[in-house]
Amino acid sequence: MVERLSVAQLLKSILAAFAVAVLVLLGAQVWNAWSVLAENQRAELVVAASRQIFTALIAQRTDRATTNRLWEAEGAPTEKNREYLKKLRDEEMPALAAGSVLLASVPFADKEALLPALRRSTDAMVALQGEFAAHVGEPKAQRRPAL
């Protein structure tokens, strides 16, 4: 059978076999690169969401202590205290909102329960901040205890 093949046909067959092998190897590399790209994009989303959430948490820690201190004080807060608290909340709340939006596009375990809980907690915190702003100027006896 080999005697019937011409040199040209044999070279074409070998070249075709090598071309198929190269295409298979390149296809495997493309598939691998595509998988790595998908993982890198997911990691980028996680990092972006984490950055926003940690920014919010850092400001929130100080906000919580300052809010409690000002709420428990006898008199109204000074303008300096109000500006300080406003600066904290201007960092905290946009970062928390941005982190919540980014988390919506990140797959994670129990997302269906945790993400709505985060949004409810954020809404409750906004309501409490509004109550604080509305009543902190009143005498301590007129304020709700343990805001």
Side-chain angles (χ1 to χ4, degrees), residues 1-2 4-22:
M1 180 170 156
V2 176
R4 289 187 180 182
L5 289 175
S6 67
V7 173
Q9 287 176 333
L10 189 58
L11 286 175
K12 286 178 185 178
S13 299
I14 292 172
L15 189 58
F18 280 143
V20 168
V22 166

Side-chain angles (χ1 to χ4, degrees), residues 97-116:
S100 181
V101 168
L102 287 170
L103 282 174
S105 61
V106 175
F108 57 92
D110 208 16
K111 178 179 176 178
E112 295 76 25
L114 294 174
L115 197 55

Side-chain angles (χ1 to χ4, degrees), residues 68-121:
N68 188 44
R69 183 173 43 83
L70 294 176
W71 190 256
E72 296 299 324
E74 288 298 328
T78 64
E79 189 59 34
K80 184 178 178 182
N81 287 339
R82 286 182 185 266
E83 288 175 14
Y84 177 68
L85 194 58
K86 181 181 179 333
K87 179 182 163 241
L88 288 174
R89 290 181 179 171
D90 285 348
E91 273 182 42
E92 170 189 4
M93 298 313 289
L96 189 57
S100 181
V101 168
L102 287 170
L103 282 174
S105 61
V106 175
F108 57 92
D110 208 16
K111 178 179 176 178
E112 295 76 25
L114 294 174
L115 197 55
L118 174 64
R119 290 187 176 134
R120 282 191 303 275
S121 295

